């Protein structure tokens, strides 16, 4: 990891830490947000640590697993780190959908070697090939997604 630029090292470590917390205990995510943080979750906006943790903690699933497919990190002119992450979500033990996240990491000047999640955008894309109304509805409810779909007769 030492041969990668510092922003990639920080971004990659942060992303691993974030998804470990999200997958095991979302209530602990408050430690990485600040009061000025913003979250856009499937088009809904939340501002402030308390509102963000409340949203993430209230998601209607208890178990989830993120599998990172790719991640990219870049420095910004204001000394932040912009991270983009894509991967797969497993909610029912299966790959239920793909996800896309954008994180803007802000250096916490009051704590050495500490970064906070300043802005966070979350999107998911459902990929179900054999679809019936029951499993589709349950999945969109679990993930809090708004989806418009055409279901053919007999499908």
């Amino acid at each position: 990891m030492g041969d990668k630029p510092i922003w990639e090292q920080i971004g990659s470590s942060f992303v691993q830490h974030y998804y470990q917390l999200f997958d095991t205990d979302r209530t602990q995510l408050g430690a990485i947000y600040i009061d000025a943080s913003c979250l856009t979750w499937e088009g809904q906006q939340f501002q402030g640590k308390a509102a963000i943790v409340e949203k993430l903690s209230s998601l209607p699933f208890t178990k989830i697993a993120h599998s990172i497919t790719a991640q990219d990190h870049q420095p910004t002119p204001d000394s932040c780190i912009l991270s983009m992450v894509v991967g797969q979500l497993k909610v029912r033990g299966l790959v239920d959908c793909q996800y896309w996240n954008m994180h803007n990491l802000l250096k916490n000047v009051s704590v050495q070697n500490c970064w906070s999640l300043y802005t966070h955008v979350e999107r998911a894309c459902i990929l179900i090939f054999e679809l019936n109304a029951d499993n589709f509805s349950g999945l969109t409810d679990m993930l809090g997604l708004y989806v418009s779909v055409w279901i053919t007769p007999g499908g």
Side-chain angles (χ1 to χ4, degrees), residues 13-73:
S13 293
F14 189 94
V15 163
Q16 294 297 325
H17 179 65
Y18 174 83
Y19 290 118
Q20 189 271 330
L21 288 176
F22 193 104
D23 292 352
T24 58
D25 185 2
R26 291 187 301 274
T27 62
Q28 298 299 311
L29 288 171
I32 63 173
Y33 288 99
I34 58 175
D35 290 333
S37 294
C38 296
L39 164 69
T40 301
W41 182 274
E42 293 297 329
Q44 296 178 322
Q45 295 187 352
F46 303 88
Q47 185 166 10
K49 180 192 298 196
I52 293 169
V53 172
E54 180 179 339
K55 170 60 181 174
L56 297 177
S57 298
S58 70
L59 293 171
F61 48 83
T62 55
K63 287 188 159 193
I64 191 165
H66 287 81
S67 176
I68 298 170
T69 303
Q71 57 182 304
D72 296 297
H73 311 281

Side-chain angles (χ1 to χ4, degrees), residues 36 85 102 135:
V85 183
M102 188 278 302
N135 71 13

